Amino acid sequence: MVRSNVVKVIEGLLREKFGWSETRMCEELWRFIGVDVDEFRRHGIEPCIWLKGLEGLSDLRRPYWLGLARSDMSIEKYNRGLRLALVTTNSVDAVFFPVLLSMVKLPSLNVNQENIPTAKYIHNSFNLSYSIYLDVDEWPWPIELSAYELKKIFNGFSDEGLAEYIAGEIDGDGTAWYEGSAYVRFAACKNCPKRVVLDVLKEVIAERFGITGSINQLETADALTFGGEKAVRLLRCIIRYIHHPLRRLRAELILALYDGKISKDEFTKLYEQTEYERGAPDIKRSRGLEALARAAPQTHTHG
């Protein structure tokens, strides 16, 4: 049997015999990292909403994929085709990445153990690399883009298309968080090809949505940041297209606070569950292999 058919048979057995489903996978992931799905649902927030609309991403022409490629996803020539890869050690990404790539093709998985001598609380970290392989003509976007070319593509997007692109950036190297106020940030390495995205994105978001951000210089990267009401306005534009589980959950939670659907005390209690532990062991970091085996046990058969 073709390997993809074997995987389908295994998934069918998991669904039939053990009640596995994408929602159950999502719930198990949240339990693994200490998020109480029932508590969120009692406050009208659905932790597994990130699964909604994923099937639409089977089309690589969707602007989301260009956003992901301009941030976290690598694209490189492989034999006579292309290899699209997403790499992580984190628990949430370990489940999200194969689910996302499988909308296009079944991903292969390579697992490598790595030592991180500067990370005090991390031991036996496993690097998970998910890949899909395409013919050259299957990838519809330019692999390398100048600022002028990127701006031209942005100008050809509808408002919805631009919002979808931005969500792809968020799901890659972006983030949304709350620290006395709402923030949205897009990061890019200094002096690398992806750095040009920040300047163009800042300009286009201001022109199209009337939302202005600022570019900050961090220690190892530069970042386009939106704060306060500007961050909230941007999240309203893009939230339906955000699929990263943790970033979508934070965005839903932040908007629920600003819309008055939950109190500040309720928000604080729920938001704490989404935060990373600083200076202490954190199950959200460097536990990707364990999260994958527990939440999505069939995915490791893909490679």
Side-chain angles (χ1 to χ4, degrees):
M1 295 178 68
V2 177
R3 185 177 67 179
S4 61
N5 291 334
V6 174
V7 172
K8 290 178 182 178
V9 170
I10 293 172
E11 289 186 347
L13 290 171
L14 285 168
R15 293 177 191 275
E16 179 183 352
K17 301 296 184 181
F18 300 102
W20 184 90
S21 68
E22 287 78 7
T23 299
R24 181 171 172 182
M25 170 195 68
C26 169
E27 293 171 345
E28 192 63 26
L29 170 64
W30 289 132
R31 293 188 186 100
F32 180 77
I33 66 172
V35 171
D36 187 336
V37 294
D38 295 328
E39 186 68 16
F40 274 86
R41 286 170 176 161
R42 278 194 289 271
H43 289 86
I45 299 171
E46 175 49 60
C48 295
I49 195 172
W50 64 274
L51 291 165
K52 185 177 180 181
L54 274 174
E55 64 280 354
L57 295 181
S58 61
D59 184 356
L60 285 168
R61 293 171 296 179
R62 295 285 292 268
Y64 178 94
W65 288 107
L66 179 61
L68 196 65
R70 292 296 90 197
S71 57
D72 208 29
M73 185 172 69
S74 66
I75 304 176
E76 56 188 33
K77 293 181 180 179
Y78 184 86
N79 291 335
R80 296 182 180 179
L82 297 174
R83 175 177 177 263
L84 276 57
L86 289 163
V87 181
T88 190
T89 61
N90 287 359
S91 300
V92 176
D93 291 347
V95 175
F96 171 56
F97 285 168
V99 171
L100 179 62
L101 290 175
S102 68
M103 295 301 106
V104 180
K105 289 186 176 181
L106 290 177
S108 60
L109 168 63
N110 287 323
V111 181
N112 296 294
Q113 189 170 4
E114 62 176 21
N115 295 317
I116 310 177
T118 58
K120 180 179 178 182
Y121 296 100
I122 297 176
H123 305 286
N124 298 322
S125 177
F126 290 92
N127 185 300
L128 309 180
S129 177
Y130 301 98
S131 304
I132 58 174
Y133 299 87
L134 308 175
D135 293 333
V136 173
D137 59 358
E138 288 184 276
W139 177 249
W141 306 102
I143 296 176
E144 297 181 359
L145 284 167
S146 67
Y148 170 79
E149 292 167 328
L150 187 60
K151 179 71 178 295
K152 188 176 180 180
I153 289 176
F154 285 166
N155 288 338
F157 287 157
S158 64
D159 288 354
E160 291 75 17
L162 181 59
E164 190 173 333
Y165 170 91
I166 296 169
E169 284 261 10
I170 283 283
D171 283 356
D173 285 335
T175 187
W177 82 99
Y178 187 90
E179 195 171 349
S181 185
Y183 292 93
V184 175
R185 172 174 287 170
F186 308 88
C189 50
K190 296 178 182 289
N191 302 317
C192 67
K194 293 183 179 181
R195 171 60 180 81
V196 70
V197 175
L198 300 185
D199 297 309
V200 180
L201 196 58
K202 176 187 175 184
E203 181 181 347
V204 171
I205 291 175
E207 290 175 352
R208 190 73 67 89
F209 301 131
I211 306 171
T212 56
S214 58
I215 294 181
N216 312 114
Q217 294 187 354
L218 308 179
E219 185 176 350
T220 59
D222 289 344
L224 171 59
T225 305
F226 299 83
E229 289 293 338
K230 295 175 182 178
V232 173
R233 288 173 58 196
L234 186 58
L235 286 176
R236 293 192 195 283
C237 291
I238 66 175
I239 189 167
R240 62 180 290 196
Y241 303 111
I242 299 174
H243 292 291
H244 187 282
L246 192 58
R247 287 160 200 163
R248 180 62 180 266
L249 185 59
R250 283 187 177 178
E252 295 282 348
L253 189 54
I254 288 169
L255 292 184
L257 173 66
Y258 276 80
D259 289 340
K261 295 180 180 179
I262 57 175
S263 69
K264 186 62 180 294
D265 288 343
E266 292 169 334
F267 171 85
T268 300
K269 180 180 178 181
L270 294 173
Y271 187 81
E272 285 177 351
Q273 298 180 42
T274 75
E275 290 185 292
Y276 287 93
E277 293 288 337
R278 298 180 181 177
D282 188 349
I283 199 168
K284 297 181 185 67
R285 289 193 173 100
S286 301
R287 299 286 290 277
L289 187 59
E290 188 176 348
L292 179 65
R294 175 167 167 174
Q298 88 291 2
T299 57
H300 71 273
T301 64
H302 291 184

